[in-house]
Amino acid sequence: MSSPAASTPLRRELGLRSATVLVIANMIGSGVFTTSGYIIGELGSAQMLLLCWLVGGLFALAGALCYGELGAMLPHAGGEYIYLREAFGPLPAFVSGWISLIVGFSAPIAAAAIAFATYFLGSEGEALLVLSAAGHDWLTLSPVTLLASAAILVFTLIHLHSLRLGKGVQNLLTAYKLGFVALFIGAGLWLGEGNLAHLRQTLPEAPGGAASFAIALIFVSFAYSGWNAAAYLAGEIRRPERNLPLALTLGTLLVGTLYLLINLVYLYALPPEAMRGTLEVGTAAAEKLFGPTIGSLFGLGIALGLLSVMSAMIMAGPRVYFAMARDGLFPPYFGRVHPTRATPTGAILFQSVIALVMVLAAAYDALLIYIGFTLSLSSMLAVAALMRLRHLRPALPRPYRTLGYPLTPLLFIAGNLWIIAYTFSSRPVVALYGLTTLTAGVVLYRLRYHKVARSAEGALPAEEGAPS
């Protein structure tokens, strides 16, 4: 028998604006401020840099259009987990949820928290305590890790309190971040001391070619990740058949436009040679455009903007584990909803504990190596689920249908297959990390959840208020 907490429904309290804000907050993170230096080092020209960001945006938009149909058709918490369960059964669904837990949310939360603390403090500072064994540092206490941990705890408490408070804080932080980005773009192009001649310069010694473009798209895909954020909270969005597709599409279009403009500012400020290999390319561009004092303030602005990313992921991720627990694939504790606050408390706490462990153990850096590859595979399978459900279950209600079907999902799948293939050929270690993660999910499913999942195979997702 379900406890009252377990049977308490999630409330549909998110409108179109809040759902769109969630997409924007998830997408605009550290990626656009750190990856362009590596991308131009691969591609060798300003024009190819802008083309790569445009192509990455088109891929993200194609994915958003496909997820819009999936989310409107199956408006339940969980995202890819729900879509893969209905199309391919419980095993692929479980593996996608496992990927979301480790690669999709916990690791980026830890990374965003570390980045926030590093930008805010200006340096890592001296470690206060380091526990080492077998030549590896297993736990590190430093000003950065302590501030990062504190940030995770604060936003965990905010999102535990209520969806209303969580979305209010999220909307405020995202408004700040959009204002900050718009100010940087506007001031950089109109007031900054740059040179448009940089757009015609090249790096003759850069690798170039199709392989380099595919590798560059991995960086771009990481920066665009989050375009599907609203799908995870489909069970809490009002009128999901309308608002979910609109939120995914509008958020992706806006962020794609901003990304192109931000990179135009980078190229206006810095020649390709100065950009190449620069991690803090945003700070470098700000210092060139406005001087060192403004450049340092820009770093602080990035730090505050990263709080929005961390908050959005703490908000979205637990809905996946909540859905899995309701199907019996995770312990029932993670499927509990607070009886008065209507938040998935167990799932939120579970995710935050993992993120805190990653911060203190510094394990997040290894996970980030393969995050783009692994998430590309997961979202590609979800879009494949859209095409399978069109044939397998044509009677399901589809209040929104993907624009440009079947070309749109085929474009998304082909683009991601291209990225994955070149990852295998040019970054085999990254591919191995991703495959290891997938294999671990399959093994865990077989060992602990196979019998439970088989009994639920083929069932439609119950309403969030139904007993588990």
Side-chain angles (χ1 to χ4, degrees), residues 65-270:
L65 292 171
C66 294
Y67 271 57
E69 177 173 332
L70 287 164
M73 179 173 56
L74 300 167
H76 311 281
E80 289 100 347
Y81 168 74
I82 296 293
Y83 312 148
L84 292 179
R85 185 187 69 185
E86 295 306 311
F88 301 114
L91 174 56
F94 178 86
V95 173
S96 75
W98 168 254
I99 290 172
S100 293
L101 172 62
I102 302 299
V103 186
F105 292 102
S106 298
I109 288 169
I114 289 285
F116 156 74
T118 302
Y119 272 112
F120 188 85
L121 296 174
S123 63
E124 294 191 11
E126 185 177 351
L128 305 175
L129 175 66
V130 178
L131 297 181
S132 302
H136 179 75
D137 295 339
W138 295 101
L139 184 145
T140 302
L141 291 180
S142 68
V144 165
T145 59
L146 290 175
L147 180 58
S149 299
I152 292 174
L153 289 172
V154 167
F155 282 98
T156 296
L157 291 174
I158 288 172
H159 290 292
L160 281 172
H161 181 273
S162 65
L163 183 63
R164 185 178 300 275
L165 176 62
K167 75 176 182 181
V169 171
Q170 187 63 61
N171 290 351
L172 180 64
L173 287 172
T174 305
Y176 156 76
K177 183 161 60 176
L178 284 174
F180 170 75
V181 170
L183 178 64
F184 174 61
I185 293 171
L189 293 177
W190 275 275
L191 303 176
E193 298 180 6
N195 191 341
L196 288 175
H198 298 160
L199 292 169
R200 297 189 296 270
Q201 297 179 8
T202 60
L203 297 171
E205 68 277 18
S212 291
F213 198 85
I215 296 302
L217 275 175
I218 295 175
F219 291 113
V220 171
S221 296
F222 171 73
Y224 273 108
S225 62
W227 52 263
N228 55 352
Y232 298 107
L233 282 86
E236 294 158 276
I237 295 176
R238 295 192 297 268
R239 296 182 61 192
E241 70 282 355
R242 169 187 178 270
N243 291 335
L244 180 56
L246 276 176
L248 294 172
T249 304
L250 292 175
T252 304
L253 281 171
L254 177 59
V255 172
T257 302
L258 290 176
Y259 278 3
L260 285 172
L261 290 173
I262 290 172
N263 280 278
L264 183 62
V265 173
Y266 293 161
L267 293 167
Y268 178 62
L270 300 168

Side-chain angles (χ1 to χ4, degrees), residues 131-468:
L131 297 181
S132 302
H136 179 75
D137 295 339
W138 295 101
L139 184 145
T140 302
L141 291 180
S142 68
V144 165
T145 59
L146 290 175
L147 180 58
S149 299
I152 292 174
L153 289 172
V154 167
F155 282 98
T156 296
L157 291 174
I158 288 172
H159 290 292
L160 281 172
H161 181 273
S162 65
L163 183 63
R164 185 178 300 275
L165 176 62
K167 75 176 182 181
V169 171
Q170 187 63 61
N171 290 351
L172 180 64
L173 287 172
T174 305
Y176 156 76
K177 183 161 60 176
L178 284 174
F180 170 75
V181 170
L183 178 64
F184 174 61
I185 293 171
L189 293 177
W190 275 275
L191 303 176
E193 298 180 6
N195 191 341
L196 288 175
H198 298 160
L199 292 169
R200 297 189 296 270
Q201 297 179 8
T202 60
L203 297 171
E205 68 277 18
S212 291
F213 198 85
I215 296 302
L217 275 175
I218 295 175
F219 291 113
V220 171
S221 296
F222 171 73
Y224 273 108
S225 62
W227 52 263
N228 55 352
Y232 298 107
L233 282 86
E236 294 158 276
I237 295 176
R238 295 192 297 268
R239 296 182 61 192
E241 70 282 355
R242 169 187 178 270
N243 291 335
L244 180 56
L246 276 176
L248 294 172
T249 304
L250 292 175
T252 304
L253 281 171
L254 177 59
V255 172
T257 302
L258 290 176
Y259 278 3
L260 285 172
L261 290 173
I262 290 172
N263 280 278
L264 183 62
V265 173
Y266 293 161
L267 293 167
Y268 178 62
L270 300 168
E273 184 61 43
M275 284 182 62
R276 178 171 55 182
T278 301
L279 177 66
E280 296 178 344
V281 65
T283 302
E287 289 178 349
K288 186 68 175 179
L289 290 168
F290 311 116
T293 301
I294 299 298
S296 61
L297 291 176
F298 182 81
L300 181 60
I302 292 177
L304 296 178
L306 288 172
L307 292 177
S308 174
V309 184
M310 185 170 53
S311 172
M313 291 186 176
I314 290 174
M315 185 179 186
R319 275 64 185 180
V320 180
Y321 330 134
F322 166 84
M324 294 176 72
R326 287 297 175 99
D327 283 348
L329 298 179
F330 267 12
Y333 171 75
F334 303 126
R336 291 180 180 175
V337 175
H338 194 280
T340 58
R341 303 190 184 278
T343 55
T345 53
I348 292 173
L349 289 171
F350 181 47
Q351 175 182 262
S352 294
V353 167
I354 294 177
L356 285 171
V357 170
M358 290 181 178
V359 166
L360 297 176
Y364 74 100
D365 54 348
L367 290 171
L368 289 181
I369 295 173
Y370 65 88
I371 189 171
F373 167 81
T374 314
L375 292 184
S376 291
L377 182 60
S378 180
S379 58
M380 183 187 70
L381 289 176
V383 172
L386 165 68
M387 302 188 76
R388 178 170 170 79
L389 286 171
R390 281 276 188 116
H391 296 282
L392 187 67
R393 304 176 70 172
L396 280 176
R398 289 174 172 84
Y400 163 80
R401 288 179 175 265
T402 301
L403 181 67
Y405 185 93
L407 182 61
T408 302
L410 289 175
L411 172 67
F412 185 83
I413 292 170
N416 281 280
L417 280 175
W418 184 47
I419 293 173
I420 291 168
Y422 273 110
T423 302
F424 272 107
S425 63
S426 59
R427 299 290 194 277
V429 175
V430 173
L432 180 61
Y433 288 154
L435 291 177
T436 301
T437 303
L438 295 176
T439 303
V442 172
V443 171
L444 186 59
Y445 173 85
R446 295 294 185 190
L447 287 176
R448 299 187 58 187
Y449 304 115
H450 184 58
K451 291 182 180 179
V452 175
R454 285 193 64 184
S455 67
E457 187 172 5
L460 277 170
E463 289 297 322
E464 275 72 25
S468 59

